[in-house]
Amino acid sequence: MRPSGTEPGDFVDYDMDLLEAQRRTRMRSALEASRIELSEELGLELHVANEGNELVLADADGIRYRATMNPQGRLVLTAVRGASLL
């Protein structure tokens, strides 16, 4: 992020696409680390996948966990069973 001008009162221009791409990159790397631990714990082979604009952990039967970032920047995984969230 860089300001678009150098004078007082100039507007600051943020590249929101870049911010979103960085957020998704951080989420993907955190999911990859979590994937290994969860795969061992559950005895299932999980993989990171995209579902629309969301990142998810899935197995052969479908989506198991949805990933989000909380305001503090921590990864939050929500277990999914069928069509309802837990």
Side-chain angles (χ1 to χ4, degrees), residues 24-62:
R24 287 181 64 81
T25 300
R26 287 193 319 267
M27 280 181 64
R28 184 172 287 280
S29 63
L31 273 176
E32 285 294 342
S34 298
R35 178 190 64 80
I36 295 166
E37 187 176 324
L38 283 170
S39 290
E40 290 173 359
E41 186 176 315
L42 297 173
L44 299 168
E45 185 59 38
L46 297 172
H47 62 276
V48 178
N50 292 322
E51 183 186 68
N53 289 333
E54 294 183 337
L55 288 173
V56 297
L57 283 174
D59 63 6
D61 295 330

Side-chain angles (χ1 to χ4, degrees), residues 15-28 55:
D15 185 348
M16 296 308 288
D17 292 333
L18 177 61
L19 291 174
E20 181 64 19
Q22 290 172 341
R23 182 186 74 83
R24 287 181 64 81
T25 300
R26 287 193 319 267
M27 280 181 64
R28 184 172 287 280
L55 288 173

